[in-house]
Amino acid sequence: MPRRPLRIGTRGSPMALAQTGMVRDRIAAAHPDLAEPGAMELVVVTTVADKVLDRPLSEIGGKGLFTKELEQALLADQVDIAVHSMKDVETWLPDGLVIACILERDDPRDAFLSPRAASLATLPPGGRVGTSSLRRGAQVLMHRPDLRIVPLRGNANTRMKRLEEGTCDATLLAIAGLERLGLADRAQEILPVSTMLPAVAQGALGIECRAGDAELIALLQAVACPTTTIAVGAERALLEELDGSCRTPIAALAQIDGDRLTLDGILFLPDGSAHWATHRTGRTADAQAIGRGAGAELKAKAGETYRAKLQ
């Protein structure tokens, strides 16, 4: 155990602070000595993704902009751990850093919010769906090509405010995030995964630290969820096989029942005009291989059509 306070790095958004508070409380419950006053402290780190809100992530460097400064703080020994939404974590981590543990996953589905309709299916033709997620936009257009996608970035509170102001007619947010903010009642509909397959690792929180901090890594195992770790590992293996980033509309969800794992993945064209899907099952012990195989299958199915459309 470190003698100094355990320094927990976090972004400063209401969502990030709520999530980091959850992680802190779980660590304190697992290790009573860390529940003592002053034993842990939150260190707020502002990321580029928090500063630049007028352009899609795909234009300014990708989802890694949610984690880059936190990872720099880890490498500079300014914080001991960093809390991330695992869906924001880059496919490959910087040298010297590891995801020490992944907590139990919350509901991975997306929620539909709108003052104009009770569901995505009943949103009037021509309705504007605000999102900067290529994955969400592609799936909306796949099911409702009569709708329009308009850019909408910012934290959950900001996006809901802009929805109320009429910037768009509807938006989509992770239900797990709304629940963590106590705002789940704002959702008109929780979309089934058959309509909106989630982002890789959506609903899961991860704790990153320096690879050499063996004692700290061991300490964090008390809050790790083995089942979620296996599922997220399969999803991230699919993503790695596809060399996925926020410039690539990819969705995946692994679900576990006993020692069996089921993985669904979809690769999209950004405009929703085409998609390629995979469904694989196997032993949880083979999770990584299942993910890699699913990613290779999607890559083969999409072929040159996909690569040409993204150039």
Side-chain angles (χ1 to χ4, degrees), residues 198-209:
V200 164
Q202 185 160 300
L205 298 177
I207 304 176
E208 189 175 22
C209 72

Side-chain angles (χ1 to χ4, degrees), residues 53 55-59 62-63 66 87-88 108-111 129-142 148-154 159 162 168 170-174 191 195-200 202 239 245-252 266 268-272 306 310:
L53 300 175
R55 285 179 286 166
L57 285 177
S58 56
E59 293 181 5
K63 64 182 182 179
F66 284 115
K87 68 182 179 65
D88 294 333
R109 294 176 296 173
D110 285 298
V129 179
T131 181
S132 290
S133 163
L134 296 180
R135 172 191 64 87
R136 287 172 174 148
Q139 289 186 88
V140 166
L141 294 174
M142 185 173 76
R148 289 188 294 149
I149 303 299
V150 297
L152 186 65
R153 277 202 56 217
R159 280 181 275 173
R162 293 185 65 188
C168 53
T171 192
L172 302 169
L173 294 169
L191 295 167
T195 299
M196 184 68 57
L197 197 64
V200 164
Q202 185 160 300
L239 193 67
S245 70
C246 75
R247 299 180 182 85
T248 312
I250 298 170
I266 308 179
F268 308 87
L269 291 183
D271 62 3
Y306 183 77
L310 286 186

Side-chain angles (χ1 to χ4, degrees), residues 15 87 107-114 129-133 135-136 152-161 163 170-179 181 183-184 186-191 196 198 202:
M15 182 81 72
K87 68 182 179 65
D107 193 330
R109 294 176 296 173
D110 285 298
F112 172 83
L113 290 79
S114 174
V129 179
T131 181
S132 290
S133 163
R135 172 191 64 87
R136 287 172 174 148
L152 186 65
R153 277 202 56 217
N155 62 47
N157 301 81
T158 299
R159 280 181 275 173
M160 287 188 288
K161 181 179 179 182
L163 176 64
T171 192
L172 302 169
L173 294 169
I175 188 61
L178 291 174
E179 288 174 343
L181 291 171
L183 298 172
R186 300 287 293 273
Q188 270 69 46
E189 175 188 27
I190 299 177
L191 295 167
M196 184 68 57
Q202 185 160 300

Side-chain angles (χ1 to χ4, degrees), residues 49-193:
D50 298 311
K51 298 175 184 176
V52 182
L53 300 175
D54 59 346
R55 285 179 286 166
L57 285 177
S58 56
E59 293 181 5
I60 61 175
K63 64 182 182 179
L65 295 179
F66 284 115
T67 60
K68 182 179 179 181
E69 283 82 1
L70 284 163
E71 291 175 331
Q72 290 173 341
L74 278 169
L75 292 170
D77 195 22
Q78 296 167 350
V79 299
D80 300 305
I81 63 175
V83 176
H84 305 301
S85 291
M86 282 302 298
K87 68 182 179 65
D88 294 333
V89 175
E90 288 273 53
T91 310
W92 293 276
L93 301 180
D95 290 343
L97 299 180
V98 295
I99 299 297
C101 81
I102 299 175
L103 284 71
E104 184 177 3
R105 189 180 215 162
D106 293 319
D107 193 330
R109 294 176 296 173
D110 285 298
F112 172 83
L113 290 79
S114 174
R116 297 193 60 194
S119 66
L120 178 63
T122 59
L123 191 64
R128 300 161 299 159
V129 179
T131 181
S132 290
S133 163
L134 296 180
R135 172 191 64 87
R136 287 172 174 148
Q139 289 186 88
V140 166
L141 294 174
M142 185 173 76
H143 296 289
R144 293 287 310 273
D146 58 306
L147 299 177
R148 289 188 294 149
I149 303 299
V150 297
L152 186 65
R153 277 202 56 217
N155 62 47
N157 301 81
T158 299
R159 280 181 275 173
M160 287 188 288
K161 181 179 179 182
R162 293 185 65 188
L163 176 64
E164 293 169 355
E165 293 171 346
T167 301
C168 53
D169 301 307
T171 192
L172 302 169
L173 294 169
I175 188 61
L178 291 174
E179 288 174 343
R180 291 165 189 163
L181 291 171
L183 298 172
D185 60 344
R186 300 287 293 273
Q188 270 69 46
E189 175 188 27
I190 299 177
L191 295 167
V193 297

